[in-house]
Amino acid sequence: MNEQRPRREADPPQPQRRAEMRVRPTGPIVPSANVSGNALMCVIAIMSFLACLTLGGVSMVRATAQSWQSQISREITIQVKPDDNLDMEKALADARDLALTFSGTTGGSIIDRAATARLLEPWLGGGLDLDELPVPRLVVITIDENNPPDFAAMRQALTEMIPQAFLDDHRTWVDRLVTMANTTAMIGSGVLTLVFSAMVLTVVFATRGALSGNRHIVEVLHFVGAEAGFVASEFQKHFLRISLKGAGAGGLLAALSFAIASFWQSQTLATPETDQATALFGTFSIGYTGYLGIFAIILVIALLTTLTARLTVMRTIYEIDLIRSDPGRTDTFQG
């Protein structure tokens, strides 16, 4: 007889598991992208681009003016006028040797006949015969800028040795160039100040305008008990991101413009257009100091926008508290 197996007790029913509660991800307190934010970003980018361009232009003008001044102050010129009883080549060599005897001179070279003809070619045309024209010849003497020679003594010695020689120390040109360079630098600095002031005012008013459109958010957060510092920190984080994007885009575009201009200039050397542009504006490279200035402008714009946002929020909360504490103002506000 088959043994009956003991009946296994039925397993107790498993309790139904509760569905996992899913918390809806919280959104940012301040909308990450809205019309006001996009408009503010565009305004910041434009003003940053203009400010960076102006800064680069001023640095280029100053560098070019300093280069002009340095090139002129490093050289003096001895001009020997032609004369029937004068051996021009010997007079040029004597003038150079005499000038090199003075302390403060570092070298000298005689401008030969071919180089002199090339200097006069733009005005008198090619194929010049210098023997038929009373053209003076030049001797270029290089001097030490930090320890220049005694120009008065050199001029007197040249006059006694070679009456037809005349020493030009370029002092008049240097003084005029220094005045022009200082004037140009002052004008550039003034333009930079105006552009930067316009940028500051534009960023401040644009930030305040963007915050006025989000005033209801500040009111709701303040009414539910959020502290003023918390609300201000949320808004300043939002506007810091906007300002960094806008200022970074404008500064990057300005730096890219200078880099492209410098590359174009390096690729088109020895052409009339590039030579004229280089002679007038110098090189379009702003150097590492210019790029540091662009980076500094980006930081200043970001900090300015953030500070403006914080102050505006704090002032808005202060006005809300005043309205709530004064029933008369509350009725007026509601109306």
Side-chain angles (χ1 to χ4, degrees):
M1 187 174 179
N2 294 334
E3 295 181 359
Q4 295 183 350
R5 296 181 179 180
R7 298 180 61 182
R8 188 173 57 182
E9 296 182 359
D11 295 334
Q14 296 291 334
Q16 295 182 354
R17 295 184 179 181
R18 295 179 57 186
E20 294 183 0
M21 297 180 61
R22 296 182 179 180
V23 180
R24 186 179 61 181
T26 59
I29 294 178
V30 183
S32 58
N34 53 23
V35 177
S36 300
N38 295 332
L40 178 61
M41 188 184 303
C42 292
V43 170
I44 292 176
I46 293 172
M47 298 308 299
S48 173
F49 176 72
L50 293 177
C52 293
L53 277 186
T54 307
L55 176 65
V58 170
S59 62
M60 282 172 48
V61 169
R62 286 189 174 182
T64 303
Q66 291 176 358
S67 177
W68 289 348
Q69 180 181 350
S70 178
Q71 289 176 1
I72 292 181
S73 60
R74 282 200 303 263
E75 293 180 349
I76 59 175
T77 304
I78 300 175
Q79 182 183 116
V80 181
K81 298 180 181 179
D83 192 278
D84 294 338
N85 300 323
L86 180 67
D87 185 355
M88 180 59 73
E89 300 300 330
K90 182 177 182 303
L92 292 172
D94 293 341
R96 180 195 59 191
D97 296 339
L98 177 62
L100 293 178
T101 59
F102 286 83
S103 61
T105 58
T106 58
S109 61
I110 299 173
I111 306 298
D112 57 15
R113 299 169 67 87
T116 304
R118 286 195 300 270
L119 290 175
L120 298 175
E121 187 174 351
W123 292 273
L124 302 179
L128 293 177
D129 187 0
L130 298 182
D131 294 332
E132 298 179 358
L133 297 174
V135 178
R137 299 284 301 279
L138 300 177
V139 179
V140 178
I141 304 297
T142 306
I143 64 174
D144 185 0
E145 298 180 63
N146 301 322
N147 184 27
D150 188 351
F151 296 119
M154 185 184 298
R155 184 176 289 107
Q156 182 178 359
L158 282 171
T159 303
E160 293 176 354
M161 182 176 181
I162 308 172
Q164 294 83 0
F166 172 74
L167 175 64
D168 186 4
D169 58 2
H170 308 300
R171 194 170 302 174
T172 303
W173 288 101
V174 170
D175 294 339
R176 292 179 180 178
L177 186 59
V178 169
T179 303
M180 185 193 69
N182 293 334
T183 303
T184 305
M186 288 177 60
I187 293 174
S189 300
V191 173
L192 178 62
T193 303
L194 291 176
V195 171
F196 198 78
S197 301
M199 178 198 69
V200 169
L201 294 176
T202 303
V203 169
V204 169
F205 285 111
T207 304
R208 294 182 64 180
L211 277 172
S212 64
N214 295 318
R215 181 185 175 94
H216 60 284
I217 300 177
V218 179
E219 294 176 353
V220 171
L221 290 175
H222 187 55
F223 287 155
V224 298
E227 296 182 356
F230 171 77
V231 178
S233 64
E234 291 297 320
F235 272 89
Q236 73 183 24
K237 290 177 185 177
H238 173 70
F239 282 94
L240 177 61
R241 289 192 294 268
I242 292 178
S243 60
L244 284 178
K245 291 179 182 178
L252 181 62
L253 184 59
L256 187 62
S257 300
F258 284 112
I260 292 175
S262 178
F263 177 77
W264 170 82
Q265 191 178 42
S266 64
Q267 296 297 317
T268 58
L269 293 175
T271 59
E273 296 82 3
T274 305
D275 291 342
Q276 292 296 328
T278 304
L280 185 60
F281 301 106
T283 58
F284 290 108
S285 176
I286 58 177
Y288 70 94
T289 55
Y291 291 107
L292 287 178
I294 291 176
F295 181 72
I297 287 179
I298 294 175
L299 292 182
V300 168
I301 293 177
L303 292 176
L304 181 66
T305 306
T306 305
L307 181 61
T308 302
R310 182 175 183 85
L311 293 178
T312 305
V313 171
M314 298 298 289
R315 182 175 180 83
T316 302
I317 294 176
Y318 175 72
E319 292 176 353
I320 293 174
D321 290 338
L322 286 180
I323 293 174
R324 294 179 63 186
S325 62
D326 189 351
R329 296 187 61 179
T330 304
D331 296 339
T332 303
F333 175 73
Q334 292 176 351

